[in-house]
Amino acid sequence: MSQLHVIDHPMIQHKLTIMREETTGSKDFKELLNEIALLMGYEVTRDFPLEDVEIKTPMQTMVAKKISGKKVAIVPILRAGLGMVDGLLTLIPVARVGHIGLYRNEETHKPVFYYCKLPKDIQERTVILTDPMLATGGSASDAIDLLKEKGCSNIRLMCLVAAPEGVKAVQERHPDVDIYVAAVDEKLNSDCYILPGLGDAGDRIFGTK
């Protein structure tokens, strides 16, 4: 079964609280999301393997540690997932970025694909799939299905806020994919929005509501 990692660092929780407040505007919301994504990235990459390399400091030669040839792809689920990309790129500047476009049908609450562009060697990379909100788990699960169809075998799902229903859905469909979140909230409402949540992340990032 996949692991659920709740990253409860005090700075992440503090910034998330500000994001939740309805009076927080788009500019601050985007900046906070970018900062949290960077902080969460440390945990998402915690188990990356290291190798010994010989380097020369100003004082002497030494054997030091570097990431062991790990190739990474950051794949946001459009559009809200874009808000987490820059923070991760600050941490992993050599990562490639793909995009998966999904939207939720407001009547059926089911995800609908409309775009997919991935690095050609995506199957060779550790994929960090980003989406701020894990509500029903439908979009994330379908995006993971698509990545697996492209040959990806090492996928990590990184979200900001999750509902228990969404976590359960992803774990049942994809027991090999670890989930990283900053908080697991109470439940979904009748419109499949997370409670207490923080509203529609896409609208708050891009100021479209």
Side-chain angles (χ1 to χ4, degrees), residues 35 46 69 94-95 116 122 139 144 156 161 166 185-186 192 198:
E35 292 166 6
R46 175 175 286 279
V94 297
C116 179
I122 189 72
S139 295
I144 295 168
R156 302 166 189 217
V161 176
D185 279 9
E186 183 183 344
C192 293
L198 47 72

Side-chain angles (χ1 to χ4, degrees), residues 144-165:
I144 295 168
D145 282 338
L146 179 61
L147 289 169
K148 287 182 175 180
E149 289 171 9
K150 300 293 185 180
C152 299
S153 59
N154 190 346
I155 304 167
R156 302 166 189 217
L157 175 61
M158 177 175 153
C159 305
L160 187 63
V161 176
E165 296 93 329

Side-chain angles (χ1 to χ4, degrees), residues 190-204:
S190 59
D191 291 321
C192 293
Y193 281 94
I194 300 172
L195 296 178
L198 47 72
D200 187 299
D203 284 338
R204 297 195 67 184

Side-chain angles (χ1 to χ4, degrees), residues 8-177:
D8 58 357
H9 189 285
M11 291 306 301
I12 291 177
Q13 297 305 310
H14 172 80
K15 293 175 186 294
L16 176 57
T17 295
I18 299 171
M19 291 182 70
R20 289 184 188 273
E21 294 183 12
E22 65 177 350
T23 55
T24 299
S26 289
K27 178 178 180 295
D28 290 337
F29 191 93
K30 282 186 288 190
E31 290 175 354
L32 289 162
L33 181 57
N34 181 63
E35 292 166 6
I36 290 177
L38 170 59
L39 294 171
M40 290 182 69
Y42 284 103
E43 291 301 317
V44 176
T45 59
R46 175 175 286 279
D47 65 347
F48 276 18
L50 294 170
E51 63 182 0
D52 291 335
V53 295
E54 187 174 289
I55 65 169
K56 188 174 182 181
T57 78
M59 305 303 293
Q60 68 178 61
T61 300
M62 69 168 289
V63 175
K65 302 288 186 183
K66 291 185 78 172
I67 298 292
S68 180
K70 180 68 71 173
K71 295 202 291 186
V72 177
I74 302 164
V75 180
I77 297 177
L78 303 178
R79 60 185 169 144
L82 286 170
M84 306 179 83
V85 172
D86 285 347
L88 286 173
L89 283 175
T90 300
L91 184 65
I92 320 167
V94 297
R96 298 289 176 87
V97 179
H99 299 87
I100 293 177
L102 286 169
Y103 69 89
R104 186 175 71 164
N105 184 299
E106 295 300 328
E107 293 183 0
T108 66
H109 305 305
K110 300 292 185 181
V112 180
F113 279 103
Y114 65 89
Y115 184 77
C116 179
K117 183 73 172 180
L118 301 171
K120 290 182 179 178
D121 62 349
I122 189 72
Q123 72 280 356
E124 300 172 14
R125 295 177 177 270
T126 294
V127 177
I128 303 175
L129 182 67
T130 65
D131 194 357
M133 311 304 286
L134 180 58
T136 65
S139 295
S141 294
D142 282 6
I144 295 168
D145 282 338
L146 179 61
L147 289 169
K148 287 182 175 180
E149 289 171 9
K150 300 293 185 180
C152 299
S153 59
N154 190 346
I155 304 167
R156 302 166 189 217
L157 175 61
M158 177 175 153
C159 305
L160 187 63
V161 176
E165 296 93 329
V167 172
K168 182 173 183 288
V170 173
Q171 288 183 324
E172 287 180 349
R173 276 179 61 178
H174 298 287
D176 56 334
V177 174

